[in-house]
Amino acid sequence: MKLTPLHDRVLVKRLEGEEKTAGGLFIPDTAKEKPSKGEVVAAGPGKVGDDGKRVPMAVKAGDMVLFNKYAGTEVKLDGVDHLVMREDDILAIIG
């Protein structure tokens, strides 16, 4: 299935969380925190400013990003969890 974000929305695929601690203990799935890092899969064209001109997006497909812990709406595409969020919820581009 293909999903194209609108306006200033971004489709992000979360990176997998850590499997074990620094000390070597394995973390069960129920105790893992959801990672706040991910890869941008698709980005909308940008939002329209007050002057009527479109403001381009700062992120593009393929960027690794850091986002708010509770940001976005979870969606499942082809069995893989993704998030749809506003560009404002992205804190930084990694890399």
Side-chain angles (χ1 to χ4, degrees):
M1 176 176 13
K2 183 176 179 184
L3 186 115
T4 305
L6 300 175
H7 306 293
D8 66 334
R9 301 280 200 296
V10 179
L11 180 66
V12 176
K13 179 182 170 190
R14 276 196 178 157
L15 296 179
E16 293 299 318
E18 293 294 319
E19 293 289 325
K20 60 181 180 177
T21 65
L25 298 175
F26 285 95
I27 302 171
D29 288 337
T30 56
K32 286 183 190 174
E33 282 192 32
K34 290 185 177 180
S36 58
K37 287 190 243 178
E39 179 182 358
V40 175
V41 176
K47 65 181 173 181
V48 177
D50 294 333
D51 59 357
K53 295 182 182 176
R54 189 166 300 277
V55 178
M57 300 285 277
V59 297
K60 61 187 178 309
D63 285 346
M64 299 302 284
V65 294
L66 183 67
F67 51 87
N68 287 328
K69 192 173 195 175
Y70 301 106
T73 302
E74 292 185 3
V75 293
K76 190 169 270 204
L77 299 173
D78 298 326
V80 180
D81 289 331
H82 290 74
L83 291 169
V84 176
M85 64 181 72
R86 290 188 173 275
E87 184 183 32
D88 293 344
D89 290 332
I90 295 175
L91 304 173
I93 298 173
I94 302 169

